[in-house]
Amino acid sequence: HFELTQPPSVSAAPGQKVAISCSGSDSTFASGSVSWYQQVPGAAPRLIIFDNNNRASGVPARFSGSKSGPSASLAISGLQTGDEADYYCATWDSRLNLVVFGGGTLLTVL
Amino acid sequence: QVQLVESGGRVVKPGRSLRLSCVTSGFSFANYAIHWIRQAPGKGLEWVAVMSYDETESYYADSVKGRFTTSRDSALDTSFLQMNNLKVEDTATYYCARDITFAVISLPNQWGRGIPVTVS
């Protein structure tokens, strides 16, 4: 199956904005939708964005998602120390009928 | 509120079998697909399997196909993951998760806390 590529890590200062990219080379991904998950150390993953740009229940407006063709992005503004976590993108591969996760990006708030 | 609680994880020897359970509450279990996802120590998320809300469809990752089987019991609001011929590389924390979408297979939404499985 195809792969979703994320940067291993990103960092920014409190109050700043950061973007995490997610790219896939397959046409299935280009036409599909993306979800984003946040995993704080020691906890289970939590859905934060679904269908490319919809925030899950209880997720603050500081989190936003976008997708254009084979590239998706998660933006977090007004960074807080509590945002430090691993972030994963994911999509449903409708050709092979399976979920594909990106490798994850560790966000450090300096 | 929506809750999913995994159980059944333990230390097992290679080649043995194990069945995980995922007891759910707070939503209409019969209307949502249930996913299983795992995470090896220090690694990223790996999707394992999904079963549709009506049990007509089930799909598996290549790494577990032919060894793992997912099932569900709507009378118990519970999903199961039967794992046979376990390998050392199956060692991971296993999560179950409810799908995002009503009556369609898409992506995981709410997750359980996870249960560790060690094959050694």
Side-chain angles (χ1 to χ4, degrees):
Chain A
H1 62 78
F2 67 89
E3 293 183 349
L4 295 179
T5 301
Q6 299 180 233
S9 63
V10 296
S11 62
Q16 297 297 304
K17 180 177 181 178
V18 71
I20 298 172
S21 61
C22 172
S23 62
S25 58
D26 193 89
S27 59
T28 304
F29 177 65
S31 58
S33 64
V34 169
S35 290
W36 289 90
Y37 301 86
Q38 175 194 61
Q39 186 176 31
V40 174
R46 165 199 178 198
L47 177 71
I48 52 173
I49 298 289
F50 65 98
D51 286 347
N52 302 328
N53 55 16
N54 293 280
R55 281 187 301 277
S57 176
V59 175
R62 302 186 296 106
F63 292 81
S64 63
S66 63
K67 183 175 181 288
S68 177
S71 296
S73 182
L74 171 69
I76 311 171
S77 60
L79 278 170
Q80 303 174 0
T81 55
D83 296 332
E84 287 200 332
D86 289 303
Y87 291 84
Y88 297 88
C89 60
T91 192
W92 174 254
D93 183 336
S94 59
R95 193 173 50 188
L96 297 180
N97 290 315
L98 49 81
V99 174
V100 181
F101 282 102
T105 299
L106 174 63
L107 168 63
T108 301
V109 181
L110 301 169
Chain B
Q1 75 275 25
V2 173
Q3 285 193 320
L4 301 98
V5 180
E6 303 90 344
S7 63
R10 60 183 176 90
V11 179
V12 294
K13 294 187 182 302
R16 304 297 291 268
S17 297
L18 197 61
R19 188 174 86 154
L20 304 183
S21 300
C22 170
V23 177
T24 73
S25 61
F27 67 98
S28 180
F29 178 81
N31 290 328
Y32 289 89
I34 299 293
H35 297 262
W36 288 90
I37 306 101
R38 68 185 181 183
Q39 187 171 34
K43 302 296 185 182
L45 301 174
E46 180 188 14
W47 177 81
V48 173
V50 64
M51 173 164 273
S52 62
Y53 75 103
D54 59 0
E55 303 180 52
T56 60
E57 301 172 80
S58 59
Y59 304 109
Y60 300 89
D62 286 346
S63 58
V64 306
K65 201 172 293 183
R67 299 188 299 122
F68 289 14
T69 303
T70 185
S71 61
R72 55 192 291 155
D73 186 333
S74 291
L76 300 175
D77 290 346
T78 299
S79 173
F80 302 99
L81 184 67
Q82 177 68 41
M83 305 185 293
N84 298 331
N85 188 22
L86 282 160
K87 304 177 180 182
V88 171
E89 52 265 37
D90 294 321
T91 295
T93 294
Y94 284 74
Y95 299 96
C96 62
R98 196 202 85 172
D99 200 281
I100 293 172
T101 310
F102 179 91
V104 172
I105 295 176
S106 59
L107 291 167
N109 187 353
Q110 292 99 338
W111 300 53
R113 291 186 176 183
I115 192 79
V117 171
T118 301
V119 184
S120 175

